[in-house]
Amino acid sequence: MSILEIKNVTSGYGEVQILWGMNISPEEGKLTCLVGGNGVGKTTLLRTIMGLNRTWQGSITFGGQDITHSPAYAKADLGLVLVPEGRQLFTDMTVQENLEIGATNQRAHGKYQQNLERVFALFPRLKERAVQKAGTLSGGEQQMVAVGRGIMADPRLLMIDELSLGLAPVLTLQLFETLRQLRKEGLTIVLVEQNVQMALAVGDYAYVIAEGKSEMEGPAHKLMNDSHVRETYLGL
């Protein structure tokens, strides 16, 4: 069953249109990948779903509720959470303070300690560095904090924009293993990722985005093994 329904959504920045009738419907409990070249609208789509960009046309439904024009804080209260590209941490605050910020929505208030323990179990390194300022961490550790902050919001659906951007391969592997674990726990995930091969290897289902629309979709492993998709859309 789809937890999120994006139907004929258009959006953009100012007068520049980026999304041209986007349609996706991630299934609950699955890891769905959005893949495609740079500048095709993947980040814009996540921002529009979250309410950071205005939806010009079309509809967005989450858990059966129309959230097309709901503000971002209301969507967070429903369990829709975005881990943005570039981490966007408060670098002068400690690791634990950054994690606490993730738990400010109404949904997460009563589960603070439970979710904090969950984050520290997934990322033991963060527990070791709980009182360290986030700006002094490595890039990989900062990404752990960003993902951890998303988990602190107690998501029903966690959207992650560019998980591995700028990270060393060993840390990329570690973070993708974390995604596997979260998926095993039943968390619904939508992933935008530049490392297409890694994304399709870990994902259940995938949409190929091109020119602001979903051009193709299917089980991730099938798209990965489709030579036409690899050459035409993914540059593999």
Side-chain angles (χ1 to χ4, degrees), residues 85-113:
E85 180 180 3
R87 299 150 200 160
Q88 298 184 24
L89 303 180
F90 293 92
T91 55
D92 287 333
M93 297 172 65
T94 68
V95 167
Q96 184 146 343
E97 288 169 340
N98 272 274
L99 294 176
E100 288 173 358
I101 288 172
T104 55
N105 69 70
Q106 293 180 6
R107 176 183 173 85
H109 280 170
K111 296 184 178 180
Y112 172 80
Q113 192 60 40

mmCIF file of all heavy atoms in Angstrom, residues 85-113:
data_model
loop_
_atom_site.group_PDB
_atom_site.id
_atom_site.type_symbol
_atom_site.label_atom_id
_atom_site.label_comp_id
_atom_site.label_asym_id
_atom_site.label_seq_id
_atom_site.Cartn_x
_atom_site.Cartn_y
_atom_site.Cartn_z
ATOM 1 N N GLU A 85 19.884 17.740 1.738
ATOM 2 C CA GLU A 85 21.214 17.706 1.140
ATOM 3 C C GLU A 85 22.118 18.702 1.870
ATOM 4 O O GLU A 85 21.699 19.802 2.231
ATOM 5 C CB GLU A 85 21.122 18.078 -0.343
ATOM 6 C CG GLU A 85 22.449 18.066 -1.066
ATOM 7 C CD GLU A 85 22.317 18.452 -2.531
ATOM 8 O OE1 GLU A 85 21.195 18.781 -2.965
ATOM 9 O OE2 GLU A 85 23.336 18.435 -3.235
ATOM 10 N N GLY A 86 23.350 18.299 2.113
ATOM 11 C CA GLY A 86 24.295 19.202 2.760
ATOM 12 C C GLY A 86 24.206 19.233 4.268
ATOM 13 O O GLY A 86 24.826 20.073 4.929
ATOM 14 N N ARG A 87 23.407 18.336 4.857
ATOM 15 C CA ARG A 87 23.318 18.094 6.313
ATOM 16 C C ARG A 87 22.631 19.217 7.077
ATOM 17 O O ARG A 87 21.754 18.975 7.880
ATOM 18 C CB ARG A 87 24.708 17.836 6.906
ATOM 19 C CG ARG A 87 25.359 16.595 6.298
ATOM 20 C CD ARG A 87 26.864 16.703 6.271
ATOM 21 N NE ARG A 87 27.439 15.771 5.307
ATOM 22 C CZ ARG A 87 28.642 15.895 4.799
ATOM 23 N NH1 ARG A 87 29.431 16.887 5.168
ATOM 24 N NH2 ARG A 87 29.087 15.020 3.926
ATOM 25 N N GLN A 88 23.078 20.489 6.873
ATOM 26 C CA GLN A 88 22.438 21.649 7.501
ATOM 27 C C GLN A 88 22.331 21.499 9.021
ATOM 28 O O GLN A 88 21.270 21.666 9.615
ATOM 29 C CB GLN A 88 21.071 21.906 6.855
ATOM 30 C CG GLN A 88 21.174 22.222 5.379
ATOM 31 C CD GLN A 88 19.848 22.579 4.736
ATOM 32 O OE1 GLN A 88 18.924 23.012 5.421
ATOM 33 N NE2 GLN A 88 19.743 22.411 3.427
ATOM 34 N N LEU A 89 23.467 21.195 9.629
ATOM 35 C CA LEU A 89 23.531 21.088 11.087
ATOM 36 C C LEU A 89 23.794 22.458 11.714
ATOM 37 O O LEU A 89 24.217 23.395 11.039
ATOM 38 C CB LEU A 89 24.653 20.128 11.494
ATOM 39 C CG LEU A 89 24.595 18.707 10.941
ATOM 40 C CD1 LEU A 89 25.784 17.909 11.463
ATOM 41 C CD2 LEU A 89 23.287 18.027 11.284
ATOM 42 N N PHE A 90 23.552 22.541 13.019
ATOM 43 C CA PHE A 90 23.954 23.706 13.794
ATOM 44 C C PHE A 90 25.356 23.415 14.323
ATOM 45 O O PHE A 90 25.528 22.715 15.315
ATOM 46 C CB PHE A 90 22.960 23.947 14.926
ATOM 47 C CG PHE A 90 21.595 24.353 14.446
ATOM 48 C CD1 PHE A 90 20.616 23.400 14.225
ATOM 49 C CD2 PHE A 90 21.308 25.687 14.182
ATOM 50 C CE1 PHE A 90 19.362 23.764 13.768
ATOM 51 C CE2 PHE A 90 20.056 26.065 13.729
ATOM 52 C CZ PHE A 90 19.076 25.105 13.515
ATOM 53 N N THR A 91 26.340 23.946 13.624
ATOM 54 C CA THR A 91 27.726 23.508 13.845
ATOM 55 C C THR A 91 28.286 23.937 15.195
ATOM 56 O O THR A 91 29.232 23.316 15.693
ATOM 57 C CB THR A 91 28.632 24.034 12.722
ATOM 58 O OG1 THR A 91 28.506 25.464 12.633
ATOM 59 C CG2 THR A 91 28.250 23.414 11.386
ATOM 60 N N ASP A 92 27.741 24.999 15.807
ATOM 61 C CA ASP A 92 28.236 25.449 17.111
ATOM 62 C C ASP A 92 27.524 24.765 18.272
ATOM 63 O O ASP A 92 27.831 25.043 19.441
ATOM 64 C CB ASP A 92 28.071 26.967 17.247
ATOM 65 C CG ASP A 92 29.066 27.728 16.385
ATOM 66 O OD1 ASP A 92 30.146 27.167 16.112
ATOM 67 O OD2 ASP A 92 28.758 28.862 15.973
ATOM 68 N N MET A 93 26.581 23.881 17.946
ATOM 69 C CA MET A 93 25.870 23.125 18.976
ATOM 70 C C MET A 93 26.425 21.714 19.036
ATOM 71 O O MET A 93 27.037 21.228 18.083
ATOM 72 C CB MET A 93 24.369 23.114 18.668
ATOM 73 C CG MET A 93 23.751 24.498 18.691
ATOM 74 S SD MET A 93 22.035 24.531 18.116
ATOM 75 C CE MET A 93 21.238 23.550 19.382
ATOM 76 N N THR A 94 26.227 21.040 20.156
ATOM 77 C CA THR A 94 26.757 19.692 20.312
ATOM 78 C C THR A 94 25.955 18.690 19.488
ATOM 79 O O THR A 94 24.858 18.991 18.991
ATOM 80 C CB THR A 94 26.716 19.244 21.782
ATOM 81 O OG1 THR A 94 25.340 19.092 22.187
ATOM 82 C CG2 THR A 94 27.427 20.245 22.671
ATOM 83 N N VAL A 95 26.506 17.497 19.374
ATOM 84 C CA VAL A 95 25.817 16.407 18.684
ATOM 85 C C VAL A 95 24.448 16.173 19.308
ATOM 86 O O VAL A 95 23.424 16.099 18.612
ATOM 87 C CB VAL A 95 26.664 15.120 18.735
ATOM 88 C CG1 VAL A 95 25.840 13.908 18.306
ATOM 89 C CG2 VAL A 95 27.905 15.262 17.861
ATOM 90 N N GLN A 96 24.410 16.070 20.639
ATOM 91 C CA GLN A 96 23.139 15.777 21.297
ATOM 92 C C GLN A 96 22.145 16.923 21.140
ATOM 93 O O GLN A 96 20.947 16.689 20.959
ATOM 94 C CB GLN A 96 23.344 15.470 22.780
ATOM 95 C CG GLN A 96 22.052 15.060 23.486
ATOM 96 C CD GLN A 96 22.268 14.042 24.587
ATOM 97 O OE1 GLN A 96 23.302 13.387 24.646
ATOM 98 N NE2 GLN A 96 21.285 13.904 25.457
ATOM 99 N N GLU A 97 22.613 18.149 21.158
ATOM 100 C CA GLU A 97 21.714 19.291 20.950
ATOM 101 C C GLU A 97 21.123 19.271 19.544
ATOM 102 O O GLU A 97 19.939 19.575 19.357
ATOM 103 C CB GLU A 97 22.460 20.598 21.208
ATOM 104 C CG GLU A 97 22.750 20.855 22.676
ATOM 105 C CD GLU A 97 23.704 22.004 22.914
ATOM 106 O OE1 GLU A 97 24.447 22.368 21.965
ATOM 107 O OE2 GLU A 97 23.727 22.540 24.037
ATOM 108 N N ASN A 98 21.931 18.903 18.547
ATOM 109 C CA ASN A 98 21.412 18.774 17.191
ATOM 110 C C ASN A 98 20.360 17.674 17.104
ATOM 111 O O ASN A 98 19.344 17.825 16.423
ATOM 112 C CB ASN A 98 22.554 18.495 16.205
ATOM 113 C CG ASN A 98 23.193 19.748 15.666
ATOM 114 O OD1 ASN A 98 22.736 20.330 14.684
ATOM 115 N ND2 ASN A 98 24.264 20.177 16.319
ATOM 116 N N LEU A 99 20.605 16.578 17.798
ATOM 117 C CA LEU A 99 19.631 15.485 17.810
ATOM 118 C C LEU A 99 18.337 15.921 18.501
ATOM 119 O O LEU A 99 17.237 15.581 18.045
ATOM 120 C CB LEU A 99 20.219 14.261 18.501
ATOM 121 C CG LEU A 99 21.402 13.592 17.798
ATOM 122 C CD1 LEU A 99 21.953 12.455 18.656
ATOM 123 C CD2 LEU A 99 21.019 13.072 16.418
ATOM 124 N N GLU A 100 18.467 16.687 19.579
ATOM 125 C CA GLU A 100 17.285 17.159 20.303
ATOM 126 C C GLU A 100 16.393 18.011 19.418
ATOM 127 O O GLU A 100 15.158 17.964 19.536
ATOM 128 C CB GLU A 100 17.720 17.959 21.531
ATOM 129 C CG GLU A 100 18.309 17.101 22.635
ATOM 130 C CD GLU A 100 18.890 17.930 23.774
ATOM 131 O OE1 GLU A 100 18.867 19.173 23.666
ATOM 132 O OE2 GLU A 100 19.374 17.325 24.747
ATOM 133 N N ILE A 101 16.990 18.779 18.519
ATOM 134 C CA ILE A 101 16.205 19.632 17.620
ATOM 135 C C ILE A 101 15.286 18.794 16.747
ATOM 136 O O ILE A 101 14.177 19.218 16.397
ATOM 137 C CB ILE A 101 17.158 20.499 16.767
ATOM 138 C CG1 ILE A 101 17.777 21.580 17.651
ATOM 139 C CG2 ILE A 101 16.432 21.125 15.575
ATOM 140 C CD1 ILE A 101 18.873 22.368 16.988
ATOM 141 N N GLY A 102 15.722 17.580 16.414
ATOM 142 C CA GLY A 102 14.879 16.706 15.596
ATOM 143 C C GLY A 102 13.617 16.268 16.298
ATOM 144 O O GLY A 102 12.641 15.858 15.645
ATOM 145 N N ALA A 103 13.594 16.363 17.630
ATOM 146 C CA ALA A 103 12.462 15.849 18.404
ATOM 147 C C ALA A 103 11.492 16.949 18.822
ATOM 148 O O ALA A 103 10.753 16.781 19.796
ATOM 149 C CB ALA A 103 12.976 15.114 19.638
ATOM 150 N N THR A 104 11.480 18.066 18.097
ATOM 151 C CA THR A 104 10.641 19.196 18.516
ATOM 152 C C THR A 104 9.200 19.101 18.027
ATOM 153 O O THR A 104 8.340 19.833 18.519
ATOM 154 C CB THR A 104 11.248 20.521 18.022
ATOM 155 O OG1 THR A 104 11.446 20.454 16.596
ATOM 156 C CG2 THR A 104 12.579 20.798 18.711
ATOM 157 N N ASN A 105 8.914 18.227 17.052
ATOM 158 C CA ASN A 105 7.522 18.144 16.591
ATOM 159 C C ASN A 105 6.665 17.382 17.611
ATOM 160 O O ASN A 105 7.164 16.637 18.452
ATOM 161 C CB ASN A 105 7.439 17.502 15.198
ATOM 162 C CG ASN A 105 7.785 16.036 15.197
ATOM 163 O OD1 ASN A 105 7.048 15.195 15.712
ATOM 164 N ND2 ASN A 105 8.931 15.686 14.609
ATOM 165 N N GLN A 106 5.351 17.594 17.538
ATOM 166 C CA GLN A 106 4.431 17.007 18.514
ATOM 167 C C GLN A 106 4.517 15.485 18.540
ATOM 168 O O GLN A 106 4.429 14.861 19.598
ATOM 169 C CB GLN A 106 2.997 17.439 18.197
ATOM 170 C CG GLN A 106 2.741 18.928 18.388
ATOM 171 C CD GLN A 106 1.320 19.320 18.059
ATOM 172 O OE1 GLN A 106 0.482 18.476 17.782
ATOM 173 N NE2 GLN A 106 1.046 20.620 18.087
ATOM 174 N N ARG A 107 4.701 14.891 17.378
ATOM 175 C CA ARG A 107 4.723 13.436 17.264
ATOM 176 C C ARG A 107 5.862 12.823 18.072
ATOM 177 O O ARG A 107 5.727 11.748 18.664
ATOM 178 C CB ARG A 107 4.857 13.072 15.783
ATOM 179 C CG ARG A 107 4.985 11.590 15.496
ATOM 180 C CD ARG A 107 5.180 11.354 13.999
ATOM 181 N NE ARG A 107 5.460 9.959 13.736
ATOM 182 C CZ ARG A 107 4.533 9.027 13.583
ATOM 183 N NH1 ARG A 107 3.260 9.357 13.678
ATOM 184 N NH2 ARG A 107 4.872 7.771 13.336
ATOM 185 N N ALA A 108 7.014 13.525 18.114
ATOM 186 C CA ALA A 108 8.227 12.951 18.701
ATOM 187 C C ALA A 108 8.384 13.239 20.191
ATOM 188 O O ALA A 108 9.240 12.627 20.847
ATOM 189 C CB ALA A 108 9.451 13.478 17.954
ATOM 190 N N HIS A 109 7.585 14.140 20.746
ATOM 191 C CA HIS A 109 7.797 14.573 22.129
ATOM 192 C C HIS A 109 7.858 13.410 23.114
ATOM 193 O O HIS A 109 8.747 13.349 23.955
ATOM 194 C CB HIS A 109 6.673 15.535 22.546
ATOM 195 C CG HIS A 109 6.897 16.923 22.043
ATOM 196 N ND1 HIS A 109 5.949 17.913 22.115
ATOM 197 C CD2 HIS A 109 7.969 17.496 21.442
ATOM 198 C CE1 HIS A 109 6.425 19.027 21.581
ATOM 199 N NE2 HIS A 109 7.638 18.796 21.165
ATOM 200 N N GLY A 110 6.920 12.498 23.013
ATOM 201 C CA GLY A 110 6.833 11.431 23.997
ATOM 202 C C GLY A 110 7.785 10.278 23.765
ATOM 203 O O GLY A 110 7.834 9.345 24.579
ATOM 204 N N LYS A 111 8.558 10.351 22.670
ATOM 205 C CA LYS A 111 9.450 9.246 22.343
ATOM 206 C C LYS A 111 10.912 9.677 22.316
ATOM 207 O O LYS A 111 11.746 9.010 21.698
ATOM 208 C CB LYS A 111 9.074 8.650 20.982
ATOM 209 C CG LYS A 111 7.687 8.015 20.959
ATOM 210 C CD LYS A 111 7.427 7.357 19.617
ATOM 211 C CE LYS A 111 6.068 6.664 19.590
ATOM 212 N NZ LYS A 111 5.812 6.031 18.272
ATOM 213 N N TYR A 112 11.211 10.762 22.998
ATOM 214 C CA TYR A 112 12.571 11.313 22.926
ATOM 215 C C TYR A 112 13.626 10.299 23.349
ATOM 216 O O TYR A 112 14.563 10.008 22.599
ATOM 217 C CB TYR A 112 12.675 12.572 23.784
ATOM 218 C CG TYR A 112 14.100 13.070 23.898
ATOM 219 C CD1 TYR A 112 14.666 13.814 22.872
ATOM 220 C CD2 TYR A 112 14.879 12.755 25.015
ATOM 221 C CE1 TYR A 112 15.978 14.249 22.960
ATOM 222 C CE2 TYR A 112 16.188 13.186 25.110
ATOM 223 C CZ TYR A 112 16.733 13.932 24.080
ATOM 224 O OH TYR A 112 18.034 14.343 24.160
ATOM 225 N N GLN A 113 13.495 9.749 24.535
ATOM 226 C CA GLN A 113 14.523 8.851 25.048
ATOM 227 C C GLN A 113 14.605 7.578 24.212
ATOM 228 O O GLN A 113 15.704 7.088 23.916
ATOM 229 C CB GLN A 113 14.243 8.500 26.508
ATOM 230 C CG GLN A 113 15.413 7.814 27.202
ATOM 231 C CD GLN A 113 16.679 8.663 27.218
ATOM 232 O OE1 GLN A 113 16.616 9.885 27.429
ATOM 233 N NE2 GLN A 113 17.829 8.034 26.993
#
